[in-house]
Coordinates of all heavy atoms in Angstrom, one line a residue:
G1 N -118.7 88.5 49.2 CA -118.3 87.4 50.1 C -116.8 87.3 50.1 O -116.1 88.0 49.3
K2 N -116.3 86.5 50.9 CA -114.8 86.2 51.0 C -114.5 84.8 50.9 O -115.4 83.9 51.3 CB -114.3 86.8 52.3 CG -114.4 88.3 52.4 CD -113.5 88.9 53.3 CE -113.7 90.4 53.3 NZ -112.5 91.2 53.5
N3 N -113.3 84.4 50.5 CA -113.0 83.0 50.5 C -112.3 82.6 51.8 O -112.2 83.4 52.7 CB -112.1 82.7 49.3 CG -110.8 83.5 49.3 OD1 -110.3 83.9 50.3 ND2 -110.2 83.7 48.1
G4 N -111.9 81.4 51.9 CA -111.3 80.9 53.1 C -110.1 81.6 53.6 O -109.8 81.6 54.8
S5 N -109.4 82.3 52.7 CA -108.2 83.1 53.1 C -108.6 84.5 53.6 O -107.7 85.2 54.1 CB -107.2 83.2 52.0 OG -107.8 84.0 51.0
G6 N -109.8 84.9 53.6 CA -110.2 86.2 54.0 C -110.1 87.3 53.0 O -110.2 88.4 53.3
T7 N -109.7 86.9 51.8 CA -109.6 87.9 50.7 C -110.8 87.8 49.8 O -111.4 86.8 49.7 CB -108.3 87.6 49.9 OG1 -108.4 86.3 49.3 CG2 -107.1 87.8 50.7
P8 N -111.1 88.9 49.1 CA -112.3 88.9 48.2 C -112.0 87.9 47.1 O -110.9 87.7 46.6 CB -112.3 90.3 47.6 CG -111.5 91.1 48.5 CD -110.5 90.2 49.2
P9 N -113.0 87.1 46.7 CA -112.9 86.2 45.6 C -112.6 86.9 44.2 O -113.1 88.0 44.0 CB -114.2 85.4 45.5 CG -115.2 86.3 46.2 CD -114.4 87.2 47.2
L10 N -111.8 86.3 43.4 CA -111.5 86.8 42.1 C -111.8 85.7 41.1 O -111.7 84.5 41.3 CB -110.0 87.1 42.0 CG -109.5 88.2 42.9 CD1 -107.9 88.3 42.9 CD2 -110.1 89.5 42.6
P11 N -112.3 86.1 39.9 CA -112.6 85.2 38.9 C -111.3 84.5 38.3 O -110.2 85.1 38.3 CB -113.3 86.0 37.8 CG -112.8 87.4 38.0 CD -112.5 87.5 39.5
M12 N -111.5 83.3 37.9 CA -110.4 82.6 37.2 C -110.9 82.2 35.8 O -111.9 81.6 35.7 CB -110.0 81.3 38.0 CG -109.0 80.5 37.3 SD -107.4 81.3 36.9 CE -106.7 81.4 38.5
I13 N -110.1 82.6 34.8 CA -110.4 82.2 33.4 C -109.4 81.1 33.0 O -108.2 81.3 33.1 CB -110.4 83.4 32.5 CG1 -111.4 84.5 33.0 CG2 -110.6 83.0 31.1 CD1 -111.3 85.8 32.3
V14 N -110.0 80.0 32.5 CA -109.1 78.9 32.1 C -109.4 78.6 30.6 O -110.6 78.5 30.2 CB -109.4 77.7 32.9 CG1 -108.6 76.5 32.4 CG2 -109.1 78.0 34.4
R15 N -108.4 78.5 29.8 CA -108.6 78.1 28.4 C -107.8 76.8 28.2 O -106.5 76.8 28.3 CB -108.1 79.2 27.5 CG -108.4 78.8 26.0 CD -108.0 80.0 25.1 NE -108.4 79.7 23.7 CZ -107.7 79.0 22.8 NH1 -106.5 78.6 23.2 NH2 -108.1 78.8 21.6
W16 N -108.5 75.8 27.9 CA -107.9 74.5 27.6 C -108.8 73.7 26.7 O -109.6 72.9 27.1 CB -107.7 73.7 28.9 CG -106.8 72.5 28.9 CD1 -106.1 72.0 27.8 CD2 -106.7 71.5 29.9 NE1 -105.5 70.8 28.2 CE2 -105.8 70.5 29.5 CE3 -107.2 71.5 31.2 CZ2 -105.5 69.4 30.2 CZ3 -106.8 70.4 32.0 CH2 -106.0 69.4 31.5
P17 N -108.8 74.1 25.4 CA -109.8 73.6 24.5 C -110.0 72.1 24.4 O -111.1 71.6 24.2 CB -109.4 74.2 23.1 CG -108.5 75.3 23.4 CD -107.9 75.0 24.8
V18 N -108.9 71.4 24.6 CA -109.0 69.9 24.5 C -109.8 69.3 25.7 O -110.5 68.3 25.6 CB -107.6 69.3 24.5 CG1 -107.7 67.8 24.5 CG2 -106.9 69.8 23.2
E19 N -109.8 70.0 26.8 CA -110.4 69.4 28.1 C -111.6 70.2 28.6 O -112.5 69.6 29.2 CB -109.4 69.4 29.2 CG -108.3 68.4 29.0 CD -108.7 67.0 29.3 OE1 -109.6 66.7 30.1 OE2 -108.2 66.1 28.6
I20 N -111.7 71.5 28.3 CA -112.7 72.3 28.9 C -113.5 73.0 27.8 O -113.0 73.8 27.0 CB -112.1 73.4 29.8 CG1 -111.2 72.8 30.9 CG2 -113.2 74.3 30.4 CD1 -110.4 73.8 31.6
P21 N -114.8 72.6 27.7 CA -115.6 73.2 26.6 C -115.8 74.7 26.8 O -115.9 75.2 28.0 CB -117.0 72.5 26.8 CG -116.8 71.4 27.7 CD -115.6 71.6 28.5
A22 N -115.8 75.5 25.7 CA -116.1 76.9 25.8 C -117.4 77.2 26.5 O -118.4 76.5 26.3 CB -116.1 77.5 24.4
G23 N -117.4 78.2 27.4 CA -118.6 78.6 28.1 C -118.8 77.9 29.4 O -119.8 78.3 30.1
R24 N -118.0 76.9 29.8 CA -118.3 76.3 31.1 C -118.0 77.3 32.2 O -117.1 78.0 32.2 CB -117.3 75.1 31.2 CG -117.5 74.5 32.7 CD -116.8 73.2 32.9 NE -117.5 72.2 32.1 CZ -117.0 71.1 31.5 NH1 -115.7 70.9 31.6 NH2 -117.7 70.3 30.9
V25 N -119.0 77.3 33.1 CA -118.9 78.2 34.3 C -119.0 77.3 35.6 O -119.8 76.4 35.7 CB -120.0 79.2 34.3 CG1 -120.0 80.1 35.5 CG2 -119.9 80.1 33.0
S26 N -118.1 77.7 36.5 CA -118.2 77.0 37.8 C -118.3 78.2 38.9 O -117.6 79.2 38.7 CB -117.0 76.2 38.1 OG -116.9 75.8 39.4
H27 N -119.0 78.0 39.9 CA -119.1 79.0 41.0 C -118.3 78.5 42.2 O -118.5 79.0 43.3 CB -120.6 79.3 41.3 CG -121.3 79.8 40.2 ND1 -121.1 81.2 39.8 CD2 -122.2 79.3 39.3 CE1 -121.9 81.4 38.7 NE2 -122.5 80.3 38.4
L28 N -117.4 77.5 42.0 CA -116.6 77.0 43.0 C -115.7 78.2 43.5 O -115.0 78.8 42.7 CB -115.7 75.9 42.6 CG -114.8 75.3 43.6 CD1 -115.6 74.5 44.7 CD2 -113.9 74.3 43.0
N29 N -115.6 78.3 44.8 CA -114.7 79.4 45.4 C -113.4 78.7 45.7 O -113.2 78.0 46.6 CB -115.4 79.8 46.7 CG -114.6 81.0 47.4 OD1 -113.8 81.6 46.7 ND2 -114.9 81.2 48.6
W30 N -112.4 79.0 44.8 CA -111.1 78.4 45.0 C -110.1 79.5 45.1 O -110.4 80.7 44.9 CB -110.8 77.4 43.9 CG -110.6 78.0 42.5 CD1 -111.6 78.6 41.7 CD2 -109.4 77.9 41.7 NE1 -111.0 78.9 40.5 CE2 -109.7 78.5 40.5 CE3 -108.2 77.4 41.9 CZ2 -108.8 78.6 39.5 CZ3 -107.2 77.5 40.9 CH2 -107.5 78.1 39.7
S31 N -108.9 79.1 45.4 CA -107.9 80.1 45.8 C -106.6 79.9 45.0 O -106.4 78.8 44.4 CB -107.6 80.0 47.3 OG -106.5 80.8 47.7
G32 N -105.7 80.9 45.1 CA -104.4 80.7 44.4 C -103.6 79.5 44.9 O -102.8 79.0 44.2
V33 N -103.8 79.1 46.2 CA -103.1 78.0 46.7 C -103.5 76.7 46.0 O -102.8 75.7 46.1 CB -103.2 77.8 48.2 CG1 -102.7 79.0 49.0 CG2 -104.7 77.5 48.6
D34 N -104.6 76.7 45.2 CA -105.1 75.6 44.5 C -104.3 75.4 43.2 O -104.4 74.4 42.5 CB -106.6 75.6 44.2 CG -107.4 75.7 45.5 OD1 -106.9 75.0 46.5 OD2 -108.4 76.3 45.6
F35 N -103.6 76.4 42.7 CA -103.0 76.4 41.4 C -101.9 75.2 41.4 O -101.9 74.5 40.4 CB -102.3 77.7 41.1 CG -101.6 77.7 39.8 CD1 -102.3 77.8 38.6 CD2 -100.2 77.4 39.7 CE1 -101.7 77.8 37.4 CE2 -99.6 77.3 38.5 CZ -100.3 77.5 37.3
T36 N -101.0 75.1 42.4 CA -100.0 74.1 42.3 C -100.6 72.7 42.3 O -100.2 71.9 41.5 CB -98.9 74.3 43.4 OG1 -98.3 75.6 43.2 CG2 -97.9 73.3 43.4
P37 N -101.5 72.4 43.2 CA -102.0 71.0 43.2 C -102.8 70.7 41.9 O -102.7 69.6 41.4 CB -103.0 71.0 44.4 CG -102.6 72.1 45.3 CD -101.9 73.1 44.4
T38 N -103.4 71.7 41.3 CA -104.1 71.6 40.0 C -103.1 71.3 38.9 O -103.2 70.4 38.1 CB -105.0 72.8 39.7 OG1 -105.9 72.9 40.8 CG2 -105.7 72.6 38.4
A39 N -102.0 72.1 38.9 CA -101.0 72.0 37.8 C -100.3 70.6 37.9 O -100.0 69.9 36.9 CB -99.9 73.1 38.0
L40 N -100.1 70.1 39.2 CA -99.5 68.8 39.4 C -100.4 67.7 38.8 O -100.0 66.8 38.2 CB -99.2 68.5 40.8 CG -98.0 69.3 41.4 CD1 -98.0 69.2 42.9 CD2 -96.7 68.9 40.8
A41 N -101.7 67.9 39.1 CA -102.7 66.9 38.6 C -102.8 66.9 37.1 O -102.9 65.8 36.4 CB -104.1 67.2 39.2
I42 N -102.7 68.1 36.5 CA -102.7 68.2 35.0 C -101.5 67.5 34.4 O -101.6 66.8 33.4 CB -102.8 69.7 34.6 CG1 -104.2 70.2 34.9 CG2 -102.5 69.8 33.1 CD1 -104.3 71.7 34.7
A43 N -100.4 67.6 35.1 CA -99.1 67.0 34.6 C -99.0 65.5 35.0 O -98.0 64.9 34.7 CB -97.9 67.8 35.2
C44 N -100.0 65.0 35.7 CA -100.0 63.6 36.1 C -98.9 63.3 37.1 O -98.3 62.2 37.1 CB -100.0 62.6 35.0 SG -101.4 62.8 33.9
A45 N -98.5 64.3 37.8 CA -97.4 64.2 38.8 C -98.0 63.8 40.2 O -99.2 64.0 40.4 CB -96.7 65.5 39.0
R46 N -97.2 63.2 41.0 CA -97.7 62.8 42.3 C -97.9 64.1 43.2 O -97.2 65.0 43.1 CB -96.6 62.0 43.0 CG -96.5 60.6 42.5 CD -95.6 59.8 43.3 NE -95.4 58.5 42.6 CZ -94.5 57.7 43.0 NH1 -93.7 57.9 44.0 NH2 -94.4 56.5 42.4
P47 N -99.0 64.0 44.0 CA -99.2 65.2 44.9 C -98.1 65.3 45.9 O -97.5 64.3 46.3 CB -100.5 64.8 45.6 CG -101.1 63.6 44.9 CD -100.0 63.0 44.1
V48 N -97.8 66.5 46.3 CA -96.8 66.8 47.3 C -97.4 66.7 48.7 O -98.5 67.3 48.9 CB -96.1 68.2 47.0 CG1 -95.1 68.5 48.1 CG2 -95.5 68.2 45.6
K49 N -96.7 66.1 49.6 CA -97.3 66.0 51.0 C -97.2 67.4 51.6 O -96.3 68.2 51.3 CB -96.5 65.0 51.8 CG -96.7 63.6 51.4 CD -95.9 62.7 52.4 CE -96.1 61.2 52.0 NZ -95.4 60.3 52.8
N50 N -98.2 67.6 52.4 CA -98.3 68.9 53.2 C -98.4 70.1 52.3 O -98.0 71.2 52.8 CB -97.2 69.0 54.2 CG -97.1 67.9 55.2 OD1 -98.2 67.4 55.6 ND2 -96.0 67.4 55.5
L51 N -98.9 70.0 51.1 CA -99.1 71.1 50.2 C -100.5 71.7 50.5 O -101.4 71.0 50.5 CB -98.9 70.7 48.8 CG -99.0 71.7 47.7 CD1 -97.8 72.7 47.8 CD2 -99.0 71.1 46.3
D52 N -100.5 73.0 50.7 CA -101.8 73.6 50.9 C -102.6 73.6 49.5 O -102.0 73.6 48.5 CB -101.7 75.1 51.3 CG -101.3 75.2 52.8 OD1 -101.5 74.2 53.5 OD2 -100.7 76.2 53.2
G53 N -103.9 73.7 49.6 CA -104.7 73.8 48.4 C -105.1 72.4 47.9 O -104.7 71.4 48.5
I54 N -106.0 72.4 47.0 CA -106.6 71.2 46.4 C -106.5 71.3 44.9 O -106.5 72.4 44.3 CB -108.1 71.0 46.8 CG1 -108.9 72.1 46.4 CG2 -108.2 70.7 48.3 CD1 -110.4 71.9 46.5
S55 N -106.5 70.1 44.2 CA -106.6 70.2 42.8 C -108.1 70.4 42.4 O -109.0 69.7 42.8 CB -106.2 68.8 42.2 OG -106.5 68.8 40.8
I56 N -108.3 71.4 41.5 CA -109.6 71.7 41.0 C -109.8 71.1 39.6 O -110.8 71.4 38.9 CB -109.9 73.2 41.0 CG1 -109.0 73.9 40.1 CG2 -109.9 73.7 42.4 CD1 -109.6 75.2 39.5
L57 N -108.9 70.2 39.2 CA -109.0 69.5 37.9 C -110.3 68.9 37.7 O -110.9 69.0 36.6 CB -107.8 68.6 37.7 CG -107.8 67.9 36.3 CD1 -107.7 68.9 35.2 CD2 -106.6 67.0 36.2
P58 N -110.9 68.1 38.6 CA -112.2 67.5 38.4 C -113.3 68.6 38.2 O -114.2 68.4 37.4 CB -112.5 66.8 39.7 CG -111.1 66.5 40.3 CD -110.3 67.7 39.9
V59 N -113.2 69.7 38.8 CA -114.1 70.8 38.6 C -114.0 71.4 37.2 O -114.9 71.6 36.5 CB -113.9 72.0 39.6 CG1 -114.9 73.1 39.3 CG2 -114.2 71.4 41.0
L60 N -112.7 71.6 36.8 CA -112.5 72.1 35.4 C -113.0 71.2 34.4 O -113.5 71.6 33.3 CB -111.0 72.3 35.2 CG -110.3 73.4 36.1 CD1 -108.8 73.4 35.8 CD2 -110.9 74.8 35.8
R61 N -112.9 69.9 34.6 CA -113.4 68.9 33.6 C -114.9 68.7 33.7 O -115.5 68.0 32.9 CB -112.7 67.6 33.9 CG -111.3 67.6 33.4 CD -110.7 66.2 33.6 NE -109.4 66.2 32.9 CZ -108.4 65.4 33.2 NH1 -108.6 64.5 34.2 NH2 -107.3 65.4 32.6
G62 N -115.6 69.3 34.7 CA -117.0 69.3 34.9 C -117.5 67.9 35.4 O -118.6 67.5 35.1
E63 N -116.6 67.2 36.1 CA -117.0 65.9 36.7 C -118.2 66.1 37.7 O -118.2 67.0 38.4 CB -115.8 65.2 37.3 CG -114.7 64.9 36.3 CD -113.5 64.3 36.9 OE1 -113.5 64.0 38.1 OE2 -112.5 64.2 36.1
P64 N -119.1 65.1 37.6 CA -120.3 65.2 38.5 C -119.9 65.3 40.0 O -118.9 64.7 40.4 CB -121.0 63.9 38.3 CG -120.5 63.4 37.0 CD -119.1 63.9 36.8
G65 N -120.6 66.1 40.7 CA -120.4 66.2 42.2 C -119.2 67.0 42.6 O -118.8 67.0 43.8
T66 N -118.5 67.8 41.7 CA -117.3 68.5 42.0 C -117.5 70.0 42.2 O -116.5 70.7 42.4 CB -116.2 68.3 40.9 OG1 -116.7 68.7 39.7 CG2 -115.9 66.8 40.8
N67 N -118.7 70.5 42.1 CA -118.9 71.9 42.2 C -119.3 72.3 43.6 O -119.9 73.4 43.8 CB -120.0 72.3 41.2 CG -119.6 73.7 40.6 OD1 -118.6 74.2 40.8 ND2 -120.5 74.2 39.8
S68 N -119.0 71.5 44.6 CA -119.3 71.9 46.0 C -118.1 72.6 46.6 O -117.0 72.5 46.1 CB -119.7 70.7 46.8 OG -118.6 69.8 46.8
P69 N -118.3 73.4 47.6 CA -117.1 74.2 48.2 C -116.1 73.3 48.8 O -116.4 72.2 49.3 CB -117.8 75.0 49.3 CG -119.1 74.5 49.5 CD -119.5 73.7 48.3
P70 N -114.8 73.6 48.6 CA -113.7 72.9 49.3 C -113.9 72.9 50.8 O -114.5 73.8 51.3 CB -112.4 73.6 48.9 CG -112.8 74.5 47.8 CD -114.3 74.8 47.9
L71 N -113.3 71.9 51.5 CA -113.4 71.8 52.9 C -112.9 73.0 53.6 O -113.4 73.4 54.7 CB -112.7 70.6 53.4 CG -113.4 69.3 53.2 CD1 -112.6 68.1 53.7 CD2 -114.8 69.3 53.9
R72 N -111.9 73.7 53.0 CA -111.3 74.9 53.7 C -112.4 76.0 53.9 O -112.3 76.9 54.7 CB -110.1 75.4 53.0 CG -110.4 76.1 51.7 CD -109.2 76.9 51.2 NE -109.6 77.3 49.9 CZ -109.3 76.6 48.8 NH1 -108.6 75.5 48.9 NH2 -109.7 76.9 47.6
D73 N -113.4 75.9 53.0 CA -114.5 76.9 53.1 C -115.6 76.5 54.1 O -116.5 77.3 54.4 CB -115.2 77.1 51.7 CG -114.2 77.8 50.8 OD1 -113.2 78.4 51.2 OD2 -114.5 77.7 49.5
M74 N -115.4 75.3 54.7 CA -116.3 74.9 55.8 C -115.5 74.4 57.0 O -115.2 73.3 57.2 CB -117.1 73.7 55.2 CG -118.0 74.1 54.0 SD -118.9 72.7 53.3 CE -117.6 71.8 52.5
P75 N -114.9 75.4 57.7 CA -113.9 75.1 58.7 C -114.4 74.1 59.8 O -113.6 73.4 60.4 CB -113.6 76.5 59.4 CG -114.5 77.5 58.7 CD -115.2 76.8 57.6
D76 N -115.7 74.0 60.0 CA -116.2 73.1 61.0 C -116.0 71.6 60.6 O -116.0 70.7 61.5 CB -117.7 73.3 61.3 CG -118.0 74.6 61.9 OD1 -117.0 75.2 62.5 OD2 -119.1 75.1 61.8
L77 N -115.8 71.4 59.3 CA -115.5 70.0 58.8 C -114.1 69.7 58.7 O -113.7 68.5 58.4 CB -116.2 69.8 57.5 CG -117.7 70.0 57.5 CD1 -118.3 69.8 56.0 CD2 -118.4 69.1 58.4
L78 N -113.2 70.6 58.9 CA -111.8 70.4 58.7 C -111.2 69.6 59.9 O -111.6 69.9 61.1 CB -111.0 71.7 58.6 CG -111.1 72.3 57.2 CD1 -110.4 73.7 57.3 CD2 -110.4 71.5 56.1
P79 N -110.3 68.7 59.7 CA -109.6 68.0 60.9 C -108.7 69.0 61.5 O -108.2 69.9 60.9 CB -108.9 66.9 60.2 CG -108.7 67.3 58.8 CD -109.8 68.2 58.4
A80 N -108.5 68.9 62.8 CA -107.6 69.7 63.6 C -106.2 69.5 63.1 O -105.8 68.4 62.8 CB -107.7 69.5 65.1
R81 N -105.4 70.6 63.0 CA -104.0 70.4 62.5 C -103.1 70.5 63.7 O -103.2 71.1 64.6 CB -103.6 71.6 61.6 CG -104.1 71.3 60.2 CD -103.5 72.4 59.3 NE -103.7 72.0 57.9 CZ -103.0 72.4 56.9 NH1 -102.1 73.3 57.1 NH2 -103.3 72.0 55.7

């Protein structure tokens, strides 16, 4: 399969023992553009306007209902830019 950017998906390994239990697995298809929004969320910084990507922090924390695909993977649901 491919992600929303048209490139093959790559695994992401995250180690954050205080927040993420060992062995947690998510099948969420996320992209490198999600790194900055996620890092900002981890740092409790304000989101930057017009920044591509989404924070996957809720997914990393295993919050309920967060393991669904981002809207960019469902282009029919995205608002027109």
Side-chain angles (χ1 to χ4, degrees):
K2 297 203 177 215
N3 59 27
S5 68
T7 58
L10 299 173
M12 173 59 71
I13 299 171
V14 177
R15 184 176 187 274
W16 189 9
V18 175
E19 290 286 329
I20 304 170
R24 173 169 289 148
V25 175
S26 169
H27 298 285
L28 181 70
N29 186 16
W30 68 296
S31 172
V33 299
D34 300 326
F35 179 82
T36 299
T38 304
L40 289 171
I42 289 169
C44 298
R46 289 188 185 170
V48 177
K49 289 183 181 181
N50 300 322
L51 184 65
D52 288 338
I54 59 168
S55 170
I56 62 151
L57 183 56
V59 176
L60 294 176
R61 288 184 168 156
E63 295 176 11
T66 59
N67 217 5
S68 60
L71 284 178
R72 72 165 169 270
D73 291 342
M74 298 178 286
D76 294 340
L77 300 178
L78 284 171
R81 280 191 168 198

